[in-house]
Amino acid sequence: MANYKPDLSCQSKFIPIDFAQQIIPGTFEYALSHIVDKHLDLSTFDKWYSNDKNGAAAYPPSVMLKIILFGYSRGLVSSRRIANACETNITFMSLSGDVQPHYTSIASFVAKMKDQIEPLFTQVLMICDREGLIGRNMFAIDGCKIRSNASKEWSGTFDELERKQAKLRRASQRILARHQAQDSLSEDEITHDLKQQAKLDKSADKIKEFLATNEEKLGSQRKPVKSNITDPDSAKMTTSKGTIQGYNGIAINDDKHQIILQAQTWGSVGEQQTLKPAIEDLKKQLTELGTPEALCEAKFTADSGFHSEVNLEFMATTGLDAYIADTAFRSRNPLFKESETYHTEQEKRRLKRSKGRARLFNSKDFYFDKKKNECHCPAGKEMWLSVKNIETAGRQYVRFSGYLKDCRVCPLQKQCMRKVPTKQGRQVQFETGKTTKHISYTDRMRVKIDSSPGRREYSKRLGAIEPVFGNITVNKGMNKFTLRGQEKVNTQWQMYCLVHNIEKLRNSLH
């Protein structure tokens, strides 16, 4: 019969540890420790402290950077988990020299780094450049939606939040009315109800204070958008895994070794609005690296989320050879016509929603007299000209709207509108002709990206930028933000990207 030595892995053991021997060459922690100690200028942190004569000694910035970035690389994005690892994990102990900062010190360090993170980010990029990891042949931009430290249940427009506040007040009043109507409630029931009432009142007061001290957010079309009480800078975002309350982490990387050159987070703005500031930051970064002329020589790719006439016009001024797809790019590609992936995800969702529904009236069902500029709906009601001249992608349109009083009582309402109208009647627009004033930037980009060379260049985008986000959120587990507010979250996102770049450096030298 076989005889094996006992397994003692569950037991503790006191052994002498040489911390220097625990950081093994070739590992991420070795590269991190070497870069922080030998290559980064951390003197900007000195202005945080004036304790040379009085006060307790501060934790060295080098130690804090090591344990935070190493924690992030292992998916420990919570300051509590990093602090606990400094007490129990030998690698964290070795990186910190057995310094064990409190979790509040770790969180405070990250929260205050908004002025220090960009210089550190640039210094690491300079090391990457010296090692030949930045090719400057093609840049790619994309966004990664990441959960914030806020609940989406506390989101809404000001009207929605006011209704929620009123609902909470009514619930609180119902509890009070129950007590007044029933004198025979037990002590436990009374205690439970009082706690519940206090909770409801506290939530209602929280909404009331937010509405009184904040201004309502407006979208790009100057219409109210949802605000979040816990983190007003964050926004509700739709992802492949559902709706989240979070931020969109925008990054521009170089295609040679997928080094991230620019990183910024955005909350309530769409991706289209992030392109210009991202390109301007990229230009500054390339100037810091000593190659501002790279913008005039490199190619640039972006998906349809960044496509707009304004953005294309701006890109024409940068000198970049841009390839930015529009929403109909794939539908024009003959390779996708017979493919199961011919429809975009948006089209699939639309088809799924419309399955089983009756077809709604479209513009072909409306009577439009181009000469008289008059329009009648399928029910024969006259519509009024709401917008006389709309120009989109080199084409001109007019828009007509139904009178609200007619649409509300129309017998064909269910065939014309999905919901009962409350603010405006049915709208429909008709093309009136093509403009000959100029060829739009959208038309130029459509011709460029539909060509064989254009499709070939754009096809490189997926392999350039998508693996970056996969590495950050999946491989490294940096898939949520623990801080609140645009500046603090932006610092954390840049630190996530810093971990990615340091790992690329380590892989190139290993």
Side-chain angles (χ1 to χ4, degrees), residues 356-405:
R357 294 178 180 173
R359 182 185 72 86
L360 294 182
F361 292 140
N362 56 36
S363 59
K364 296 179 181 179
D365 297 306
F366 290 74
Y367 173 75
F368 172 55
D369 190 327
K370 189 173 182 179
K371 292 182 180 180
K372 295 182 180 180
N373 212 14
E374 294 178 352
C375 179
H376 290 80
C377 72
K381 298 292 185 179
E382 182 181 359
M383 304 179 71
W384 60 282
L385 182 62
S386 56
V387 183
K388 189 175 182 179
N389 187 15
I390 305 172
E391 185 174 328
T392 304
R395 298 180 180 273
Q396 292 180 333
Y397 299 86
V398 292
R399 180 178 298 161
F400 288 86
S401 297
Y403 290 97
L404 184 57
K405 60 182 179 63

Tab-separated table of all heavy atoms in Angstrom, residues 356-405:
chain	number	residue	atom	x	y	z
A	356	GLY	N	-43.905	40.029	-34.729
A	356	GLY	CA	-45.255	39.842	-34.236
A	356	GLY	C	-46.078	41.108	-34.201
A	356	GLY	O	-47.276	41.055	-33.933
A	357	ARG	N	-45.455	42.266	-34.443
A	357	ARG	CA	-46.197	43.515	-34.462
A	357	ARG	C	-46.698	43.817	-35.867
A	357	ARG	O	-46.095	43.435	-36.853
A	357	ARG	CB	-45.316	44.680	-33.997
A	357	ARG	CG	-44.886	44.617	-32.533
A	357	ARG	CD	-44.002	45.801	-32.245
A	357	ARG	NE	-43.534	45.824	-30.873
A	357	ARG	CZ	-42.642	46.681	-30.417
A	357	ARG	NH1	-42.137	47.584	-31.231
A	357	ARG	NH2	-42.256	46.655	-29.163
A	358	ALA	N	-47.770	44.564	-35.923
A	358	ALA	CA	-48.259	45.014	-37.219
A	358	ALA	C	-47.337	46.107	-37.747
A	358	ALA	O	-46.761	46.886	-36.981
A	358	ALA	CB	-49.682	45.548	-37.071
A	359	ARG	N	-47.179	46.164	-39.064
A	359	ARG	CA	-46.311	47.175	-39.668
A	359	ARG	C	-46.897	48.567	-39.456
A	359	ARG	O	-48.069	48.801	-39.698
A	359	ARG	CB	-46.161	46.905	-41.169
A	359	ARG	CG	-45.217	47.883	-41.878
A	359	ARG	CD	-45.206	47.630	-43.367
A	359	ARG	NE	-46.442	48.058	-43.999
A	359	ARG	CZ	-46.673	49.302	-44.416
A	359	ARG	NH1	-45.774	50.245	-44.239
A	359	ARG	NH2	-47.823	49.612	-44.999
A	360	LEU	N	-46.065	49.490	-39.008
A	360	LEU	CA	-46.512	50.868	-38.836
A	360	LEU	C	-46.414	51.616	-40.164
A	360	LEU	O	-45.612	51.271	-41.031
A	360	LEU	CB	-45.662	51.575	-37.775
A	360	LEU	CG	-45.782	51.067	-36.337
A	360	LEU	CD1	-44.919	51.908	-35.417
A	360	LEU	CD2	-47.229	51.070	-35.868
A	361	PHE	N	-47.213	52.647	-40.301
A	361	PHE	CA	-47.162	53.467	-41.502
A	361	PHE	C	-45.784	54.108	-41.623
A	361	PHE	O	-45.203	54.575	-40.644
A	361	PHE	CB	-48.214	54.586	-41.431
A	361	PHE	CG	-49.638	54.076	-41.494
A	361	PHE	CD1	-50.627	54.633	-40.689
A	361	PHE	CD2	-49.987	53.057	-42.360
A	361	PHE	CE1	-51.938	54.181	-40.749
A	361	PHE	CE2	-51.301	52.592	-42.424
A	361	PHE	CZ	-52.269	53.155	-41.615
A	362	ASN	N	-45.268	54.124	-42.858
A	362	ASN	CA	-44.035	54.863	-43.118
A	362	ASN	C	-44.328	55.994	-44.096
A	362	ASN	O	-45.489	56.241	-44.441
A	362	ASN	CB	-42.945	53.924	-43.657
A	362	ASN	CG	-43.376	53.173	-44.907
A	362	ASN	OD1	-44.092	53.722	-45.743
A	362	ASN	ND2	-42.947	51.924	-45.031
A	363	SER	N	-43.302	56.670	-44.554
A	363	SER	CA	-43.490	57.859	-45.388
A	363	SER	C	-44.235	57.548	-46.693
A	363	SER	O	-44.917	58.411	-47.252
A	363	SER	CB	-42.133	58.497	-45.707
A	363	SER	OG	-41.298	57.575	-46.386
A	364	LYS	N	-44.146	56.287	-47.161
A	364	LYS	CA	-44.829	55.927	-48.402
A	364	LYS	C	-46.356	55.898	-48.236
A	364	LYS	O	-47.088	55.965	-49.232
A	364	LYS	CB	-44.335	54.561	-48.890
A	364	LYS	CG	-42.854	54.549	-49.271
A	364	LYS	CD	-42.423	53.168	-49.728
A	364	LYS	CE	-40.948	53.151	-50.095
A	364	LYS	NZ	-40.498	51.798	-50.527
A	365	ASP	N	-46.811	55.783	-46.997
A	365	ASP	CA	-48.248	55.742	-46.738
A	365	ASP	C	-48.856	57.135	-46.594
A	365	ASP	O	-50.072	57.268	-46.471
A	365	ASP	CB	-48.526	54.930	-45.470
A	365	ASP	CG	-48.089	53.478	-45.605
A	365	ASP	OD1	-48.521	52.825	-46.565
A	365	ASP	OD2	-47.294	53.018	-44.772
A	366	PHE	N	-48.022	58.154	-46.587
A	366	PHE	CA	-48.494	59.528	-46.456
A	366	PHE	C	-48.538	60.190	-47.834
A	366	PHE	O	-47.698	59.893	-48.704
A	366	PHE	CB	-47.578	60.329	-45.523
A	366	PHE	CG	-47.660	59.924	-44.078
A	366	PHE	CD1	-47.077	58.736	-43.639
A	366	PHE	CD2	-48.321	60.707	-43.162
A	366	PHE	CE1	-47.152	58.347	-42.320
A	366	PHE	CE2	-48.412	60.330	-41.827
A	366	PHE	CZ	-47.821	59.145	-41.413
A	367	TYR	N	-49.490	61.083	-48.026
A	367	TYR	CA	-49.610	61.803	-49.291
A	367	TYR	C	-48.822	63.105	-49.195
A	367	TYR	O	-49.079	63.951	-48.341
A	367	TYR	CB	-51.081	62.111	-49.613
A	367	TYR	CG	-51.239	63.006	-50.819
A	367	TYR	CD1	-51.055	62.502	-52.108
A	367	TYR	CD2	-51.546	64.348	-50.668
A	367	TYR	CE1	-51.181	63.328	-53.215
A	367	TYR	CE2	-51.673	65.182	-51.769
A	367	TYR	CZ	-51.488	64.663	-53.048
A	367	TYR	OH	-51.602	65.491	-54.144
A	368	PHE	N	-47.828	63.267	-50.080
A	368	PHE	CA	-46.988	64.456	-50.077
A	368	PHE	C	-47.026	65.099	-51.458
A	368	PHE	O	-46.683	64.471	-52.463
A	368	PHE	CB	-45.537	64.080	-49.708
A	368	PHE	CG	-44.563	65.209	-49.854
A	368	PHE	CD1	-44.761	66.428	-49.199
A	368	PHE	CD2	-43.425	65.066	-50.648
A	368	PHE	CE1	-43.861	67.467	-49.340
A	368	PHE	CE2	-42.520	66.099	-50.791
A	368	PHE	CZ	-42.740	67.308	-50.136
A	369	ASP	N	-47.467	66.346	-51.507
A	369	ASP	CA	-47.491	67.130	-52.738
A	369	ASP	C	-46.244	68.023	-52.734
A	369	ASP	O	-46.192	69.028	-52.016
A	369	ASP	CB	-48.761	67.979	-52.810
A	369	ASP	CG	-48.948	68.613	-54.186
A	369	ASP	OD1	-47.920	68.932	-54.825
A	369	ASP	OD2	-50.098	68.795	-54.613
A	370	LYS	N	-45.278	67.641	-53.547
A	370	LYS	CA	-43.997	68.346	-53.552
A	370	LYS	C	-44.140	69.774	-54.057
A	370	LYS	O	-43.472	70.696	-53.560
A	370	LYS	CB	-42.995	67.568	-54.395
A	370	LYS	CG	-41.569	68.071	-54.300
A	370	LYS	CD	-40.626	67.133	-55.042
A	370	LYS	CE	-39.184	67.595	-54.919
A	370	LYS	NZ	-38.253	66.675	-55.626
A	371	LYS	N	-45.016	69.975	-55.053
A	371	LYS	CA	-45.177	71.308	-55.632
A	371	LYS	C	-45.847	72.259	-54.645
A	371	LYS	O	-45.420	73.397	-54.463
A	371	LYS	CB	-45.985	71.219	-56.919
A	371	LYS	CG	-45.255	70.496	-58.051
A	371	LYS	CD	-46.092	70.481	-59.325
A	371	LYS	CE	-45.357	69.769	-60.459
A	371	LYS	NZ	-46.167	69.745	-61.704
A	372	LYS	N	-46.917	71.795	-54.008
A	372	LYS	CA	-47.643	72.649	-53.062
A	372	LYS	C	-47.034	72.607	-51.658
A	372	LYS	O	-47.406	73.403	-50.793
A	372	LYS	CB	-49.101	72.203	-52.993
A	372	LYS	CG	-49.873	72.390	-54.292
A	372	LYS	CD	-51.324	71.958	-54.108
A	372	LYS	CE	-52.118	72.147	-55.391
A	372	LYS	NZ	-53.537	71.732	-55.224
A	373	ASN	N	-46.121	71.651	-51.453
A	373	ASN	CA	-45.486	71.477	-50.142
A	373	ASN	C	-46.547	71.210	-49.071
A	373	ASN	O	-46.559	71.832	-48.004
A	373	ASN	CB	-44.655	72.705	-49.766
A	373	ASN	CG	-43.441	72.317	-48.925
A	373	ASN	OD1	-43.077	71.147	-48.849
A	373	ASN	ND2	-42.823	73.292	-48.306
A	374	GLU	N	-47.429	70.255	-49.393
A	374	GLU	CA	-48.501	69.882	-48.484
A	374	GLU	C	-48.435	68.386	-48.206
A	374	GLU	O	-47.942	67.604	-49.027
A	374	GLU	CB	-49.868	70.217	-49.089
A	374	GLU	CG	-50.124	71.699	-49.269
A	374	GLU	CD	-51.471	71.973	-49.917
A	374	GLU	OE1	-52.137	70.995	-50.363
A	374	GLU	OE2	-51.853	73.152	-49.969
A	375	CYS	N	-48.980	68.006	-47.055
A	375	CYS	CA	-48.939	66.596	-46.664
A	375	CYS	C	-50.225	66.231	-45.925
A	375	CYS	O	-50.740	67.018	-45.115
A	375	CYS	CB	-47.723	66.324	-45.767
A	375	CYS	SG	-47.593	64.616	-45.186
A	376	HIS	N	-50.735	65.033	-46.228
A	376	HIS	CA	-51.899	64.493	-45.534
A	376	HIS	C	-51.554	63.095	-45.029
A	376	HIS	O	-50.847	62.330	-45.701
A	376	HIS	CB	-53.122	64.424	-46.454
A	376	HIS	CG	-53.670	65.775	-46.794
A	376	HIS	ND1	-53.112	66.574	-47.770
A	376	HIS	CD2	-54.733	66.472	-46.287
A	376	HIS	CE1	-53.794	67.707	-47.855
A	376	HIS	NE2	-54.787	67.667	-46.971
A	377	CYS	N	-52.030	62.762	-43.846
A	377	CYS	CA	-51.743	61.460	-43.260
A	377	CYS	C	-52.666	60.403	-43.872
A	377	CYS	O	-53.609	60.734	-44.598
A	377	CYS	CB	-51.920	61.521	-41.740
A	377	CYS	SG	-53.630	61.640	-41.207
A	378	PRO	N	-52.443	59.098	-43.590
A	378	PRO	CA	-53.302	58.048	-44.144
A	378	PRO	C	-54.777	58.199	-43.761
A	378	PRO	O	-55.647	57.674	-44.458
A	378	PRO	CB	-52.709	56.771	-43.541
A	378	PRO	CG	-51.285	57.100	-43.296
A	378	PRO	CD	-51.265	58.530	-42.899
A	379	ALA	N	-55.062	58.918	-42.663
A	379	ALA	CA	-56.452	59.134	-42.263
A	379	ALA	C	-57.066	60.336	-42.972
A	379	ALA	O	-58.230	60.677	-42.739
A	379	ALA	CB	-56.537	59.328	-40.751
A	380	GLY	N	-56.265	61.004	-43.832
A	380	GLY	CA	-56.767	62.139	-44.588
A	380	GLY	C	-56.645	63.471	-43.888
A	380	GLY	O	-57.079	64.501	-44.416
A	381	LYS	N	-56.010	63.510	-42.698
A	381	LYS	CA	-55.863	64.745	-41.954
A	381	LYS	C	-54.658	65.542	-42.471
A	381	LYS	O	-53.608	64.973	-42.794
A	381	LYS	CB	-55.674	64.463	-40.456
A	381	LYS	CG	-56.863	63.752	-39.809
A	381	LYS	CD	-58.092	64.646	-39.759
A	381	LYS	CE	-59.223	63.959	-39.011
A	381	LYS	NZ	-60.432	64.814	-38.932
A	382	GLU	N	-54.829	66.846	-42.528
A	382	GLU	CA	-53.744	67.719	-42.979
A	382	GLU	C	-52.662	67.806	-41.898
A	382	GLU	O	-52.948	67.869	-40.710
A	382	GLU	CB	-54.280	69.114	-43.289
A	382	GLU	CG	-53.216	70.067	-43.808
A	382	GLU	CD	-53.758	71.457	-44.077
A	382	GLU	OE1	-54.973	71.681	-43.872
A	382	GLU	OE2	-52.967	72.339	-44.463
A	383	MET	N	-51.396	67.798	-42.316
A	383	MET	CA	-50.263	67.924	-41.404
A	383	MET	C	-49.580	69.265	-41.642
A	383	MET	O	-49.639	69.811	-42.743
A	383	MET	CB	-49.280	66.761	-41.599
A	383	MET	CG	-49.921	65.381	-41.445
A	383	MET	SD	-48.779	64.004	-41.711
A	383	MET	CE	-47.764	64.107	-40.241
A	384	TRP	N	-48.920	69.779	-40.629
A	384	TRP	CA	-48.276	71.089	-40.765
A	384	TRP	C	-46.771	70.944	-40.945
A	384	TRP	O	-46.152	70.001	-40.460
A	384	TRP	CB	-48.590	71.976	-39.560
A	384	TRP	CG	-48.128	71.440	-38.232
A	384	TRP	CD1	-48.721	70.474	-37.493
A	384	TRP	CD2	-46.972	71.855	-37.495
A	384	TRP	NE1	-48.038	70.241	-36.344
A	384	TRP	CE2	-46.957	71.087	-36.303
A	384	TRP	CE3	-45.967	72.795	-37.695
A	384	TRP	CZ2	-45.963	71.232	-35.337
A	384	TRP	CZ3	-44.987	72.950	-36.733
A	384	TRP	CH2	-44.989	72.170	-35.576
A	385	LEU	N	-46.189	71.883	-41.678
A	385	LEU	CA	-44.757	71.861	-41.998
A	385	LEU	C	-43.968	72.302	-40.768
A	385	LEU	O	-43.938	73.489	-40.424
A	385	LEU	CB	-44.471	72.783	-43.187
A	385	LEU	CG	-43.011	72.841	-43.678
A	385	LEU	CD1	-42.552	71.477	-44.165
A	385	LEU	CD2	-42.889	73.877	-44.786
A	386	SER	N	-43.332	71.365	-40.089
A	386	SER	CA	-42.614	71.687	-38.848
A	386	SER	C	-41.163	72.103	-39.097
A	386	SER	O	-40.638	72.962	-38.394
A	386	SER	CB	-42.649	70.486	-37.897
A	386	SER	OG	-42.115	69.332	-38.520
A	387	VAL	N	-40.506	71.501	-40.086
A	387	VAL	CA	-39.136	71.887	-40.435
A	387	VAL	C	-39.062	71.991	-41.955
A	387	VAL	O	-39.317	71.013	-42.660
A	387	VAL	CB	-38.088	70.867	-39.924
A	387	VAL	CG1	-36.686	71.352	-40.255
A	387	VAL	CG2	-38.224	70.659	-38.422
A	388	LYS	N	-38.679	73.156	-42.416
A	388	LYS	CA	-38.734	73.397	-43.859
A	388	LYS	C	-37.527	72.840	-44.594
A	388	LYS	O	-37.637	72.375	-45.728
A	388	LYS	CB	-38.861	74.904	-44.115
A	388	LYS	CG	-39.154	75.260	-45.556
A	388	LYS	CD	-39.387	76.758	-45.706
A	388	LYS	CE	-39.734	77.121	-47.145
A	388	LYS	NZ	-39.978	78.581	-47.309
A	389	ASN	N	-36.367	72.895	-43.967
A	389	ASN	CA	-35.154	72.486	-44.680
A	389	ASN	C	-34.237	71.710	-43.746
A	389	ASN	O	-33.711	72.250	-42.776
A	389	ASN	CB	-34.422	73.714	-45.234
A	389	ASN	CG	-33.248	73.317	-46.122
A	389	ASN	OD1	-33.144	72.164	-46.547
A	389	ASN	ND2	-32.364	74.252	-46.383
A	390	ILE	N	-34.069	70.418	-44.020
A	390	ILE	CA	-33.137	69.567	-43.285
A	390	ILE	C	-32.105	69.060	-44.276
A	390	ILE	O	-32.468	68.515	-45.322
A	390	ILE	CB	-33.854	68.367	-42.630
A	390	ILE	CG1	-35.002	68.843	-41.739
A	390	ILE	CG2	-32.876	67.517	-41.850
A	390	ILE	CD1	-35.869	67.719	-41.222
A	391	GLU	N	-30.830	69.214	-43.933
A	391	GLU	CA	-29.781	68.730	-44.834
A	391	GLU	C	-28.980	67.667	-44.114
A	391	GLU	O	-28.408	67.913	-43.052
A	391	GLU	CB	-28.868	69.874	-45.262
A	391	GLU	CG	-27.837	69.442	-46.308
A	391	GLU	CD	-27.021	70.612	-46.850
A	391	GLU	OE1	-27.569	71.729	-46.930
A	391	GLU	OE2	-25.851	70.393	-47.177
A	392	THR	N	-28.949	66.469	-44.671
A	392	THR	CA	-28.227	65.343	-44.092
A	392	THR	C	-27.497	64.594	-45.194
A	392	THR	O	-28.122	64.137	-46.151
A	392	THR	CB	-29.191	64.369	-43.369
A	392	THR	OG1	-29.936	65.092	-42.391
A	392	THR	CG2	-28.421	63.248	-42.699
A	393	ALA	N	-26.182	64.488	-45.021
A	393	ALA	CA	-25.357	63.740	-45.974
A	393	ALA	C	-25.604	64.183	-47.420
A	393	ALA	O	-25.711	63.356	-48.332
A	393	ALA	CB	-25.605	62.235	-45.834
A	394	GLY	N	-25.709	65.485	-47.629
A	394	GLY	CA	-25.861	66.003	-48.978
A	394	GLY	C	-27.257	65.909	-49.540
A	394	GLY	O	-27.465	66.156	-50.729
A	395	ARG	N	-28.244	65.565	-48.723
A	395	ARG	CA	-29.627	65.462	-49.194
A	395	ARG	C	-30.513	66.398	-48.378
A	395	ARG	O	-30.266	66.626	-47.183
A	395	ARG	CB	-30.133	64.021	-49.099
A	395	ARG	CG	-29.346	63.050	-49.977
A	395	ARG	CD	-29.878	61.628	-49.846
A	395	ARG	NE	-29.121	60.712	-50.674
A	395	ARG	CZ	-29.380	60.453	-51.957
A	395	ARG	NH1	-30.409	61.066	-52.553
A	395	ARG	NH2	-28.645	59.610	-52.655
A	396	GLN	N	-31.556	66.919	-49.034
A	396	GLN	CA	-32.459	67.857	-48.388
A	396	GLN	C	-33.807	67.203	-48.115
A	396	GLN	O	-34.315	66.425	-48.933
A	396	GLN	CB	-32.647	69.103	-49.265
A	396	GLN	CG	-31.380	69.943	-49.385
A	396	GLN	CD	-31.587	71.159	-50.260
A	396	GLN	OE1	-32.443	71.159	-51.150
A	396	GLN	NE2	-30.802	72.208	-50.027
A	397	TYR	N	-34.370	67.516	-46.950
A	397	TYR	CA	-35.640	66.939	-46.533
A	397	TYR	C	-36.547	68.038	-45.947
A	397	TYR	O	-36.067	69.102	-45.525
A	397	TYR	CB	-35.429	65.865	-45.452
A	397	TYR	CG	-34.581	64.701	-45.882
A	397	TYR	CD1	-33.188	64.747	-45.782
A	397	TYR	CD2	-35.156	63.537	-46.382
A	397	TYR	CE1	-32.399	63.680	-46.175
A	397	TYR	CE2	-34.380	62.456	-46.767
A	397	TYR	CZ	-33.004	62.532	-46.660
A	397	TYR	OH	-32.227	61.468	-47.041
A	398	VAL	N	-37.843	67.743	-45.918
A	398	VAL	CA	-38.792	68.556	-45.171
A	398	VAL	C	-39.501	67.640	-44.188
A	398	VAL	O	-39.644	66.432	-44.429
A	398	VAL	CB	-39.832	69.242	-46.091
A	398	VAL	CG1	-39.180	70.304	-46.957
A	398	VAL	CG2	-40.567	68.208	-46.948
A	399	ARG	N	-39.935	68.195	-43.057
A	399	ARG	CA	-40.581	67.385	-42.032
A	399	ARG	C	-41.965	67.961	-41.738
A	399	ARG	O	-42.119	69.165	-41.544
A	399	ARG	CB	-39.761	67.359	-40.759
A	399	ARG	CG	-40.378	66.529	-39.634
A	399	ARG	CD	-39.491	66.517	-38.419
A	399	ARG	NE	-38.207	65.899	-38.731
A	399	ARG	CZ	-37.100	66.067	-38.001
A	399	ARG	NH1	-37.141	66.856	-36.937
A	399	ARG	NH2	-35.975	65.472	-38.353
A	400	PHE	N	-42.944	67.064	-41.699
A	400	PHE	CA	-44.309	67.432	-41.361
A	400	PHE	C	-44.698	66.763	-40.046
A	400	PHE	O	-44.240	65.653	-39.733
A	400	PHE	CB	-45.286	67.001	-42.459
A	400	PHE	CG	-45.186	67.815	-43.724
A	400	PHE	CD1	-44.274	67.486	-44.717
A	400	PHE	CD2	-46.008	68.921	-43.912
A	400	PHE	CE1	-44.173	68.227	-45.879
A	400	PHE	CE2	-45.922	69.672	-45.074
A	400	PHE	CZ	-44.997	69.330	-46.060
A	401	SER	N	-45.575	67.426	-39.299
A	401	SER	CA	-46.067	66.885	-38.027
A	401	SER	C	-47.583	66.910	-38.007
A	401	SER	O	-48.208	67.854	-38.520
A	401	SER	CB	-45.526	67.705	-36.840
A	401	SER	OG	-44.123	67.627	-36.778
A	402	GLY	N	-48.155	65.879	-37.428
A	402	GLY	CA	-49.605	65.834	-37.281
A	402	GLY	C	-50.052	66.681	-36.097
A	402	GLY	O	-49.300	66.855	-35.127
A	403	TYR	N	-51.262	67.211	-36.180
A	403	TYR	CA	-51.796	67.978	-35.065
A	403	TYR	C	-52.123	67.023	-33.914
A	403	TYR	O	-52.724	65.957	-34.119
A	403	TYR	CB	-53.050	68.742	-35.488
A	403	TYR	CG	-52.759	69.876	-36.445
A	403	TYR	CD1	-52.911	69.701	-37.830
A	403	TYR	CD2	-52.326	71.114	-35.981
A	403	TYR	CE1	-52.632	70.739	-38.720
A	403	TYR	CE2	-52.055	72.159	-36.861
A	403	TYR	CZ	-52.204	71.968	-38.228
A	403	TYR	OH	-51.922	72.991	-39.091
A	404	LEU	N	-51.714	67.395	-32.717
A	404	LEU	CA	-51.866	66.517	-31.567
A	404	LEU	C	-53.337	66.167	-31.328
A	404	LEU	O	-53.675	65.022	-31.008
A	404	LEU	CB	-51.269	67.180	-30.317
A	404	LEU	CG	-51.263	66.351	-29.031
A	404	LEU	CD1	-50.518	65.040	-29.232
A	404	LEU	CD2	-50.634	67.137	-27.891
A	405	LYS	N	-54.226	67.135	-31.536
A	405	LYS	CA	-55.655	66.895	-31.316
A	405	LYS	C	-56.205	65.856	-32.300
A	405	LYS	O	-57.137	65.114	-31.972
A	405	LYS	CB	-56.434	68.210	-31.439
A	405	LYS	CG	-56.327	68.902	-32.786
A	405	LYS	CD	-57.100	70.221	-32.786
A	405	LYS	CE	-56.980	70.933	-34.135
A	405	LYS	NZ	-57.551	70.174	-35.237
